[in-house]
Amino acid sequence: LAKTTQPISMDSYEGQEVNITCSHNNIATNDYITWYQQFPSQGPRFIIQGYKTKVTNEVASLFIPADRKSSTLSLPRVSLSDTAVYYCLVGPNKLIFGAGTRLAVHP
Amino acid sequence: EPEVTQTPSHQVTQMGQEVILRCVPISNHLYFYWYRQILGQKVEFLVSFYNNEISEKSEIFDDQFSVERPDGSNFTLKIRSTKLEDSAMYFCASSEPPGALRNTEAFFGQGTRLTVV
């Protein structure tokens, strides 16, 4: 199972773009990269998933370089409500969470 | 939007007692999971369940724990002889069966906060 490494915490301000990078050096050919968001006292919520290049949805974008050894979750114009823990998961069919990145958005 | 529902939202139990946490997964999902999250810590995988049997379990999921799908809609986690350190938020999740190359999106419930006193 590919091990992931993310920054423990990040700070940002409302309206800024936030990029959270995840390293997964031993990602396997079959592995997809998935990001989840968790608010306090709530279950994790799926944000975005990708295999290579770029994926965009109404919430975020996911950038994956050609070697797939890292990925970057991009949150455009964050608001206070984006304050949460963000998890990067890598694997074919197992949902193992790491420590995640605690994002704090300030006014 | 379909959702995973968990009951109760909060349960207080005495040390040594048995508790059953209940979950109703999304109706067309076939993979079910239990996780726990101790306050301030990461989400820990306990077990996954598919086709009426455990497909994977973590080291945490020892003989104290068991899961069951007693009917077509419920998925339960039983914790026997609870300990103080079992106090945590327990999350149920469900997903469609993962395809050959996909890490399938899982939908999580709101959790049951278990407090062992």
Side-chain angles (χ1 to χ4, degrees):
Chain A
L1 185 69
K3 178 178 164 58
T4 61
T5 303
Q6 304 174 231
I8 294 173
S9 63
M10 294 181 69
D11 289 275
S12 183
Y13 292 90
E14 285 189 287
Q16 289 191 332
E17 177 184 77
V18 171
N19 296 309
I20 306 174
T21 296
C22 178
S23 297
H24 28 80
N25 290 320
N26 59 340
I27 188 170
T29 304
N30 289 354
D31 290 345
Y32 270 69
I33 300 154
T34 310
W35 286 80
Y36 282 79
Q37 174 192 56
Q38 186 182 27
F39 297 115
S41 299
Q42 293 188 28
R45 185 176 72 104
F46 173 91
I47 301 176
I48 198 166
Q49 181 180 91
Y51 184 79
K52 61 181 180 180
T53 62
K54 177 184 174 183
V55 179
T56 297
N57 62 21
E58 64 277 7
V59 176
S61 295
L62 179 60
F63 299 91
I64 306 168
D67 66 6
R68 304 199 329 119
K69 293 184 185 299
S70 67
S71 58
T72 299
L73 175 73
S74 181
L75 305 172
R77 297 180 298 282
V78 294
S79 63
L80 296 177
S81 62
D82 292 316
T83 294
V85 180
Y86 293 82
Y87 298 96
C88 162
L89 282 71
V90 175
N93 57 9
K94 202 181 288 192
L95 294 170
I96 303 297
F97 289 78
T101 297
R102 192 171 298 275
L103 172 66
V105 180
H106 306 281
Chain B
E1 181 178 299
E3 61 179 15
V4 175
T5 57
Q6 291 185 243
T7 55
S9 57
H10 191 185
Q11 174 137 12
V12 181
T13 189
Q14 289 204 325
M15 192 168 52
Q17 295 296 303
E18 174 182 284
V19 296
I20 297 176
L21 310 183
R22 302 180 192 279
C23 170
V24 179
I26 293 172
S27 61
N28 63 336
H29 286 180
L30 298 178
Y31 256 89
F32 314 115
Y33 312 82
W34 281 102
Y35 290 81
R36 79 173 184 190
Q37 187 172 33
I38 296 170
L39 186 64
Q41 297 186 24
K42 69 177 185 179
V43 178
E44 299 176 292
F45 169 77
L46 293 178
V47 65
S48 61
F49 191 87
Y50 173 68
N51 201 26
N52 284 320
E53 61 182 22
I54 291 173
S55 52
E56 289 188 81
K57 60 182 182 179
S58 71
E59 292 177 352
I60 303 169
F61 194 89
D62 58 21
D63 292 343
Q64 185 194 6
F65 296 89
S66 62
V67 290
E68 191 178 31
R69 188 154 164 80
D71 53 43
S73 59
N74 290 285
F75 180 52
T76 62
L77 174 69
K78 182 188 291 185
I79 309 175
R80 288 180 280 274
S81 189
T82 50
K83 306 187 284 274
L84 294 177
E85 52 266 38
D86 294 326
S87 295
M89 186 76 106
Y90 287 82
F91 293 107
C92 172
S94 70
S95 69
E96 297 175 358
L101 294 177
R102 293 194 70 83
N103 189 7
T104 307
E105 174 184 354
F107 293 79
F108 284 77
Q110 290 298 303
T112 293
R113 183 172 298 284
L114 176 65
T115 303
V116 183
V117 297

